[in-house]
Amino acid sequence: MTERQQAILVAIIEQYAEIAAPVGSVTLAKLFGVSSATIRSEMAKLEEMGFIEAPHTSAGRIPTDKGYRFYVNGITAAQMTELPSGIDSSTKAIEAHVNSNVDTSDKAIRRAVDGLVEMTGNFGFASFGSSLYMNGMTQLFSQPEFDDGDHVQAVAKLIDNIEPWLREAAPDEPLNVFIGSENPIGKSSGATLIISKFKSSSGGDNYIGVIGPTRQNYRRTMELVRRTGAMLEEVL
């Protein structure tokens, strides 16, 4: 993939996350200062490589799971050298949740999940000890992707099985990202899981994370989940 094709893919992913509509060549041509024909040619190559696709009869393009994976790998490789806008204030908001009238580790974890739901608009969950806490169903299903009943059913299946799957898969990185068809359950859900593993004094595998559409602000959400896991590890 050429540098320009990478830049166009990134632009499609980030604009689609913002506007929730397929991104067309005219918009990208203005952004890159080239002709629409040049952009269409580059988009055709990206489509041939499987990084973007045309939904239904739209003239615009949206990212595929493969496109998102390429993008997320780039974020991970960069190790968040460019922090997303407003990330510090969002982190402080979650920290305020965690520290508000919390007298047990159980409450701290629940408040952290609530903070993530509020800051990301995704469904939040935490698995700790033998407990599972979840919140944000309304936020998740208000996303336009889940107007489709099949997608809702697939995501519901994913949520129903989150605890046994975490026990079985035991994702071991401080930050784990499973995009769309990479999910072991609900492959057709159009959902992404972003999970942080954290340690606590009680031991065991503890996880906090979010489930949202594949269309989302990965830089911001990944950093917030990573920071929240680190925050809990420090508090607990």
Side-chain angles (χ1 to χ4, degrees), residues 108-231:
I109 294 168
R110 289 168 182 263
R111 293 295 181 99
V113 171
D114 294 345
L116 273 177
V117 170
E118 187 177 312
M119 290 298 111
T120 67
N122 289 336
F123 177 85
F125 65 89
S127 177
F128 50 102
S130 59
S131 300
L132 177 68
Y133 176 68
M134 301 187 289
N135 188 18
M137 196 78 77
T138 301
Q139 287 84 343
L140 177 66
F141 290 129
S142 67
Q143 302 286 355
E145 286 84 350
F146 303 121
D147 288 343
D148 184 322
D150 290 339
H151 278 181
V152 170
Q153 191 171 10
V155 174
K157 185 177 180 182
L158 181 61
I159 291 169
D160 281 346
N161 289 278
I162 191 69
E163 191 169 30
W165 174 74
L166 282 171
R167 283 200 305 270
E168 183 180 338
D172 206 35
E173 297 298 323
L175 190 69
N176 306 267
V177 182
F178 300 89
I179 301 167
S181 56
E182 297 173 358
N183 289 311
I185 303 164
K187 289 181 182 292
S188 62
S189 63
T192 284
L193 276 81
I194 301 176
I195 305 167
S196 175
K197 183 178 181 180
F198 64 94
K199 297 174 185 175
S200 72
S201 57
S202 59
D205 291 335
N206 306 286
Y207 300 99
I208 187 165
V210 296
I211 299 174
T214 53
R215 176 198 60 83
Q216 64 174 285
N217 187 330
Y218 281 91
R219 289 182 186 276
R220 184 173 183 275
T221 306
M222 286 168 64
E223 181 67 359
L224 279 176
V225 171
R226 185 193 69 77
R227 287 186 178 201
T228 304
M231 186 189 307

Side-chain angles (χ1 to χ4, degrees), residues 5-101:
Q5 287 165 358
Q6 287 184 36
I8 289 170
L9 176 60
V10 167
I12 290 171
I13 288 171
E14 294 184 350
Q15 291 214 17
Y16 182 54
E18 190 174 331
I19 65 176
V23 182
S25 58
V26 174
T27 301
L28 293 170
K30 290 177 183 176
L31 184 64
F32 286 92
V34 296
S35 70
S36 293
T38 298
I39 293 292
R40 283 196 297 272
S41 173
E42 296 286 40
M43 288 170 79
K45 291 171 187 172
L46 285 168
E47 192 168 2
E48 283 173 15
M49 290 185 280
F51 292 108
I52 60 174
E53 62 184 356
H56 310 301
T57 57
S58 171
R61 298 293 183 274
I62 63 172
T64 62
D65 289 351
K66 181 180 177 180
Y68 282 123
R69 173 46 62 192
F70 182 89
Y71 178 77
V72 166
N73 287 352
I75 295 174
T76 305
Q79 295 183 329
M80 295 291 183
T81 50
E82 294 181 22
L83 291 177
S85 174
I87 194 72
D88 289 332
S89 60
S90 296
T91 302
K92 286 177 182 174
I94 294 173
E95 194 171 8
H97 270 276
V98 173
N99 293 328
S100 61
N101 300 315

